[in-house]
Amino acid sequence: MLHQKRSAALGFIFVTLLVDIIGWGIIIPVLPDLIMSLTHGTVSEASIDGGWLTAIYAGMQFIFSPVLGGLSDKYGRRPVLLVSLLGFGIDYLVLANAPTILWLYIIRIFSGAAGASFTTASAYIADISPPEKRAQNFGMIGVAFGLGFMIGPAIGGVLGQYGVRVPFYFCAGLSLLNFLYGYFILPESLSVENRRKFEWKRANPIGTLVQLNKYPIVYGMIGALVCIYLAAQSTQSIWAYYTKFKFQWSDAIIGWSLFCVGLMVSIVQGGLIRIINPWLGNKRSVYVGFILYLIGFTLFSFAPSTLMMFLFIIPYCLAGITGPALQSIMTGQVPANAQGELQGGLTSLVSLTSIIGPLLMTWLFHYFTTPGNLYFPGAPFMMGAVLTLIATILAMRSLAKTMPTTPS
């Protein structure tokens, strides 16, 4: 009976994460059109608003992830998750009816805070998972990301053909149904005796970053990861704007192209990496991945046609072997009792790149697509290539100093 309850709860958490990612993915293909309809501007101008909206959302997640985690430690996981789901549903309804661009900014602040529910969902998984099943159950988060990013943009692209606001109504329906399901089905996972007081000093997103100061041996590799995460924002932040501007892609084509990206990422992360990494070793995997990123970003920046953009997705996604290999090397350079601190710091750095990256990349796109300036819409991808080159140099210098604790 206990096993059945745990399975049902895990199923709900998986669906919750999946719905969150699908909702996020659905709006990617249609957001440029929604912004243009509200501002009556060009694709180039809309990209600036898109960058700020993404940065605000990521910034609120960075601030509120530890806050919601602390609140869930005091009040339990269930109420925090349900409030987040209800917030998502309201967020999408407001987006669907937003009369001005100001409404988008206001609601992104609130939805960013609600989007920090991943912290609470992760805590819920930890609560109900026996030690021998914990790693396997946490793997559901990665599966949810992969599936959500495949399904979401494809649905968004298709629904966007029926109206720029239709996908937002669909997302609202998904989130509210998920809220109702959780309200009636989801049990609390955190017993009263295991709860603690909420303390603001522990709900500090900067604290996890400070912990990275303890591990100077991995500074170079951390720097390389930051550069790669920033470079990846060139794809995540401007894909819809770039392809709409340069190739006049419809929402449907944008959606299906991102479906292909999600599919390739799932294939690489879920299967190929288990073959390639043992064959090449961690260090060679890092270098091969950097080369593939460099090729992918450069090809995207000069792509002459729709067909070429789809083909260039292949080397770009194959480069995904880099991140896990680099993280594997880093974990071998710190003590076993410090892995949590390392991962917490890395997570905070990823959040920061999701704030800075969209602003940088959308500004580059806007500048190089504005009449009177040098015309080069692929400038953000070229910046991605430059950042990859810097990451390669940092990694080479750092890897030369690492202790041989992982396969090379």
Side-chain angles (χ1 to χ4, degrees), residues 12 36 85 97 136 170 176 181 217 239 264 273 328 338 381:
F12 174 80
M36 286 189 288
L85 286 174
N97 294 279
Q136 176 183 328
F170 183 85
L176 293 175
Y181 176 67
I217 195 169
W239 184 270
M264 279 296 300
I273 199 168
S328 176
F381 292 119

Side-chain angles (χ1 to χ4, degrees), residues 71-81 120 188 190 195:
L71 289 174
S72 75
D73 283 342
K74 180 179 181 179
Y75 298 107
R77 318 300 185 202
R78 185 176 186 272
V80 175
L81 276 172
T120 309
E188 178 54 62
L190 186 66
R195 299 184 186 184

Side-chain angles (χ1 to χ4, degrees), residues 107-373:
I107 201 62
R108 284 283 88 179
I109 293 173
F110 291 103
S111 61
S117 59
F118 271 87
T119 302
T120 309
S122 298
Y124 194 107
I125 293 173
D127 291 341
I128 64 174
S129 301
E132 68 274 11
K133 291 278 189 180
R134 195 161 288 169
Q136 176 183 328
N137 290 342
F138 272 116
M140 293 194 317
I141 297 176
V143 175
F145 263 97
L147 285 175
F149 198 74
M150 285 169 57
I151 299 169
I155 294 175
V158 172
L159 292 179
Q161 298 176 95
Y162 300 98
V164 70
R165 296 174 187 262
V166 171
F168 296 95
Y169 283 113
F170 183 85
C171 289
L174 271 182
S175 293
L176 293 175
L177 282 174
N178 205 15
F179 165 77
L180 291 174
Y181 176 67
Y183 183 81
F184 290 108
I185 301 296
L186 185 69
E188 178 54 62
S189 66
L190 186 66
S191 58
V192 175
E193 60 269 20
N194 288 330
R195 299 184 186 184
R196 66 171 177 87
K197 286 184 178 181
F198 177 81
E199 299 175 74
W200 282 108
K201 65 180 180 180
R202 294 180 68 173
N204 176 14
I206 304 298
T208 53
L209 284 174
V210 175
Q211 301 302 325
L212 292 176
N213 281 329
K214 297 179 180 179
Y215 315 113
I217 195 169
V218 295
Y219 278 175
M221 287 179 280
I222 290 172
L225 268 182
V226 168
C227 287
I228 285 298
Y229 287 137
L230 278 174
Q233 287 297 328
S234 65
T235 306
Q236 297 169 22
S237 301
I238 67 142
W239 184 270
Y241 302 96
Y242 176 74
T243 54
K244 194 176 282 285
F245 179 88
K246 188 171 181 179
F247 306 113
Q248 292 75 53
W249 280 10
S250 65
D251 293 343
I253 297 177
I254 293 172
W256 286 114
S257 69
L258 292 173
F259 172 87
C260 291
V261 172
L263 179 62
M264 279 296 300
V265 168
S266 298
I267 291 172
V268 172
Q269 299 294 333
L272 283 181
I273 199 168
R274 300 182 185 186
I275 301 170
I276 294 173
N277 188 273
W279 178 50
L280 290 176
N282 281 329
K283 288 187 178 181
R284 290 191 187 93
S285 293
V286 168
Y287 294 138
V288 170
F290 281 150
I291 292 170
L292 288 169
Y293 269 133
L294 199 58
I295 292 171
F297 285 128
T298 304
L299 291 175
F300 281 151
S301 66
F302 293 103
S305 66
T306 291
L307 176 61
M308 291 297 102
M309 281 297 287
F310 273 85
L311 289 176
F312 296 159
I313 288 172
I314 297 172
Y316 174 77
C317 290
L318 285 173
I321 63 174
T322 296
L326 203 52
Q327 284 189 296
S328 176
I329 295 171
M330 278 192 288
T331 57
Q333 305 302 309
V334 299
N337 62 359
Q339 296 297 330
E341 285 184 335
L342 176 65
Q343 295 307 318
L346 292 177
T347 300
S348 295
L349 282 174
V350 172
S351 299
L352 284 178
T353 60
S354 298
I355 299 169
I356 299 167
L359 298 176
L360 171 64
M361 299 305 177
T362 53
W363 178 83
L364 284 170
F365 177 74
H366 173 66
Y367 181 85
F368 286 99
T369 54
T370 298
N373 296 333

Side-chain angles (χ1 to χ4, degrees), residues 78-93:
R78 185 176 186 272
V80 175
L81 276 172
L82 291 178
V83 168
S84 292
L85 286 174
L86 183 61
F88 266 128
I90 295 171
D91 163 48
Y92 289 127
L93 280 176

